[in-house]
Amino acid sequence: MMTTIAVEAAEYQVASWRCGTGLVKAGDSRSHLIKRCGKADGERRLKKGVKAYTYVGKRGPTTVVTVEKGVVTTITQHR
């Protein structure tokens, strides 16, 4: 007998994220993000003035921080 288990990728938005040396939340500046979390593992341009910075979790979830016009707008984690 064979059992198939469907696993959905969990993706959820968080209000704040603790990384590196501090806390990052929506409304913080891009320089605050870089200062607290360091250089991103990945960076891509979504549209003019909007970038997504990816931080791969070593033991935790992968976090994508969206920055619009130099200000953090959303923080999304992927399990």
Side-chain angles (χ1 to χ4, degrees), residues 2 4-5 10-12 19 31 35 37-39 47 51 63-64 67 72 74 77:
M2 207 158 151
T4 305
I5 300 172
E11 179 181 312
Y12 50 95
C19 72
S31 61
K35 193 186 307 176
C37 305
K39 190 175 184 302
K47 59 184 178 182
K51 281 192 175 180
T63 306
V64 177
V67 176
V72 173
T74 59
Q77 292 188 329

Side-chain angles (χ1 to χ4, degrees), residues 47-75:
K47 59 184 178 182
K48 187 174 181 178
V50 182
K51 281 192 175 180
Y53 296 93
T54 304
Y55 292 89
V56 177
K58 307 307 181 243
R59 291 183 302 264
T62 295
T63 306
V64 177
V65 181
T66 307
V67 176
E68 187 170 349
K69 295 180 183 161
V71 179
V72 173
T73 54
T74 59
I75 303 169

